[in-house]
Amino acid sequence: MSVSGSSARSTLIVQLSPTRNAKLSFTVQLILTLFWLAWAVMLLFSADRNYEQNYLYYAFFGLAVVFFFYVMLQNTSIFGVQSYIEVTPQYIVQKFGVFRTKHIIQIPDIAAVHITPLALRITLHDGNQVYLDLKQVRKKRDLERIKNKVRDLADAHNFEVSDSVSSSI
């Protein structure tokens, strides 16, 4: 996902890895889905053509195909970046996949940001706190880019930034 235009330098988009917090890894999901597809195809080709409930095999196959596309859409970037964190001069957006809502935080609404090694805890002017989980960021370099961008925004928009340094050695 590339950014064009005059705001290219001021916008940061980092792709997230949704499989890091999944209950089943992408590989397991893919193997189960391929097994489901193979089973559905086997049922279709081995079914008696005169069987009255043959439409259930087609429904079973259709559901397998739909689930295969769902797994691919959620866990790969074949269809474009679906999970990302975007930091611009106007807002911060966190999106965890195609079928999940975006979390949008307006920069002028931010009173303070507390930066931890794998999260941003944002306090808004109305007292609400928003927790942005950074565990799914793929590269340490991208993690540092997000934190540095938030620090730069703090200088530009006059909100407080605090850092907690990990004490693990």
Side-chain angles (χ1 to χ4, degrees), residues 73-107:
L73 192 66
Q74 283 295 105
N75 294 297
T76 64
S77 59
I78 293 172
F79 302 105
V81 177
Q82 305 299 332
S83 299
Y84 60 88
I85 292 179
E86 179 180 9
V87 182
T88 70
Q90 295 84 21
Y91 53 84
I92 298 173
V93 175
Q94 186 173 33
K95 182 134 193 287
F96 282 120
V98 180
F99 305 107
R100 300 200 176 119
T101 59
K102 288 182 182 180
H103 301 284
I104 301 173
I105 302 156
Q106 299 287 333
I107 297 295

Side-chain angles (χ1 to χ4, degrees), residues 16-161:
L16 301 177
S17 176
T19 58
R20 287 191 182 167
N21 72 344
K23 293 183 189 210
L24 293 175
S25 70
F26 171 63
T27 308
V28 172
Q29 290 178 16
L30 188 61
I31 289 170
L32 289 173
T33 305
L34 291 175
F35 177 71
W36 185 5
L37 278 169
W39 189 14
V41 168
M42 183 191 68
L43 284 174
L44 281 176
F45 287 117
S46 67
D48 182 16
R49 296 293 172 202
N50 297 329
Y51 188 58
E52 293 175 3
Q53 295 180 341
N54 201 15
Y55 67 91
L56 290 175
Y57 296 149
Y58 288 105
F60 188 68
F61 177 72
L63 289 173
V65 169
V66 167
F67 189 72
F68 175 76
F69 280 116
Y70 171 78
V71 167
M72 295 304 286
L73 192 66
Q74 283 295 105
N75 294 297
T76 64
S77 59
I78 293 172
F79 302 105
V81 177
Q82 305 299 332
S83 299
Y84 60 88
I85 292 179
E86 179 180 9
V87 182
T88 70
Q90 295 84 21
Y91 53 84
I92 298 173
V93 175
Q94 186 173 33
K95 182 134 193 287
F96 282 120
V98 180
F99 305 107
R100 300 200 176 119
T101 59
K102 288 182 182 180
H103 301 284
I104 301 173
I105 302 156
Q106 299 287 333
I107 297 295
D109 295 342
I110 297 175
V113 175
H114 180 71
I115 300 174
T116 63
L118 293 175
L120 296 176
R121 189 175 66 227
I122 301 171
T123 306
L124 303 176
H125 287 297
D126 61 5
N128 290 334
Q129 288 191 346
V130 179
Y131 181 79
L132 295 181
D133 189 8
L134 301 177
K135 290 178 189 169
Q136 296 177 351
V137 175
R138 294 175 185 223
K139 301 175 187 169
K140 289 188 181 225
R141 180 178 51 92
D142 288 339
L143 191 62
E144 287 304 315
R145 288 174 52 206
I146 291 172
K147 292 176 183 179
N148 290 334
K149 184 71 174 175
V150 169
R151 288 183 189 105
D152 293 344
L153 288 173
D155 293 338
H157 293 278
N158 298 321
F159 58 83
E160 180 184 339
V161 174

